[in-house]
Amino acid sequence: MCFSVSRRSDRMLVTPLCLMLTCLQVSPDRSQFFRYDSISLNCEDPINTTGWKVKRRTSDSGVRPCYSGWGYSSAASSCTIGNTYPTDTGVYWCESDTGERSNEVNITITDRAVILESPAMPVSEGADVVLYCKAETNSSKHKYNFFKDGRLLRSNCSGEMTILGASESDEGLYTCSAAGLGESEGSWLTVFSDGNNQHVQLTSLSPTSSALPTASVSFPGSRLLCHLIVGIPYLVSTILLGLIYRDRRRATEIVADQRKNLDVIMERIV
């Protein structure tokens, strides 16, 4: 029996993907939640802070935006689910009025007694990843087990496991269990390098599911291309206007010089 008190690290993971492109941020930062938990979803865009809406796709209600009844918005680009239910399990993303889409995040709401708290977003190669096994009952009395692809990795009383310097070999389906309470749902952990960060996501799966994680992000180069398409005409127009102004100024100066010379010649003739 365990009697140690779990102490959680204050380390936060920074996903480089969200520093340049539109991202759906999940708070608390994890992909699994207990029934009746509260979740905050926010669309973060370093370029455009408006014009994004949170949407989701669930197995029973299809694609629906936040304001359609499953959540409430304090701002256009955010959404909060006050009391979650297993029917809230699904894929969440941000979408603009023009159809641009952010990363997708798979969120699982479970009525199990144990969840695995793992980052909602993929993690960068070399980062330290902290996983927590959380039980609904008093966590200080349970022994926790962490598994990767069905293989036992670690057992402890703290309910915490750290992956130091994550690499591609750490990718896989992670689950955890608490003695006497059963096993959590599974979360697929994706590790990406800085040069390969455009087609990744973190997928939550049942430990018994045979489904494979899907790599899906709909914004990769299209959003950057969109900004370039919009910005380049303004840049070209500015350059052309500058050249036209310069040529007109030179023409004006030439005409003025010609008139001055003509006046001098006329004075001499007179």
Side-chain angles (χ1 to χ4, degrees), residues 3-258:
F3 293 97
S4 62
V5 177
S6 174
R7 295 183 179 179
R8 297 194 171 186
S9 170
D10 291 331
R11 284 173 292 182
M12 298 294 291
L13 294 175
V14 177
T15 307
L17 188 67
C18 286
L19 299 181
M20 296 181 62
L21 300 170
T22 305
C23 263
L24 173 63
Q25 296 281 18
V26 182
S27 181
D29 181 18
R30 62 178 191 260
S31 58
Q32 294 184 23
F33 295 85
F34 288 119
R35 182 195 296 261
Y36 307 130
D37 278 348
S38 178
I39 306 175
S40 294
L41 307 165
N42 186 57
C43 301
E44 295 192 359
D45 187 336
I47 300 175
N48 179 20
T49 57
T50 61
W52 294 94
K53 295 179 178 64
V54 179
K55 292 188 176 182
R56 76 177 189 181
R57 180 176 62 253
T58 58
S59 59
D60 60 342
S61 60
V63 176
R64 295 174 60 190
C66 176
Y67 53 81
S68 62
W70 55 265
Y72 63 91
S73 300
S74 58
S77 59
S78 66
C79 186
T80 300
I81 310 175
N83 290 295
T84 58
Y85 292 89
T87 53
D88 292 313
T89 295
V91 182
Y92 292 73
W93 68 90
C94 299
E95 188 168 322
S96 69
D97 295 334
T98 56
E100 295 175 292
R101 293 178 61 169
S102 72
N103 60 302
E104 294 182 349
V105 176
N106 285 264
I107 294 178
T108 299
I109 314 300
T110 181
D111 53 7
R112 299 189 184 192
V114 180
I115 63 171
L116 174 67
E117 295 186 356
S118 59
M121 289 287 292
V123 297
S124 58
E125 187 175 27
D128 293 346
V129 184
V130 184
L131 306 178
Y132 300 107
C133 194
K134 183 178 179 181
E136 284 188 300
T137 59
N138 190 346
S139 60
S140 63
K141 295 183 179 180
H142 300 296
K143 181 179 180 180
Y144 298 92
N145 301 307
F146 290 87
F147 302 88
K148 176 178 179 287
D149 299 328
R151 179 173 57 89
L152 178 64
L153 293 179
R154 191 172 305 172
S155 297
N156 58 39
C157 297
S158 66
E160 177 181 325
M161 188 185 82
T162 301
I163 303 173
L164 297 174
S167 63
E168 290 186 3
S169 63
D170 294 308
E171 290 188 337
L173 184 66
Y174 287 80
T175 61
C176 73
S177 65
L181 297 177
E183 191 172 6
S184 71
E185 301 275 2
S187 286
W188 185 276
L189 183 68
T190 298
V191 181
F192 65 93
S193 63
D194 291 341
N196 186 29
N197 61 355
Q198 292 186 339
H199 298 281
V200 289
Q201 73 177 30
L202 184 69
T203 306
S204 294
L205 300 170
S206 168
T208 58
S209 173
S210 59
L212 294 177
T214 58
S216 163
V217 179
S218 44
F219 55 61
S222 61
R223 178 158 178 75
L224 178 59
L225 180 61
C226 178
H227 286 295
L228 289 176
I229 292 175
V230 173
I232 287 178
Y234 290 103
L235 178 61
V236 173
S237 300
T238 302
I239 294 175
L240 289 176
L241 288 173
L243 293 175
I244 292 172
Y245 174 77
R246 184 195 63 182
D247 292 341
R248 287 185 175 179
R249 183 174 181 180
R250 287 181 178 178
T252 302
E253 292 176 352
I254 292 173
V255 171
D257 290 340
Q258 291 176 347

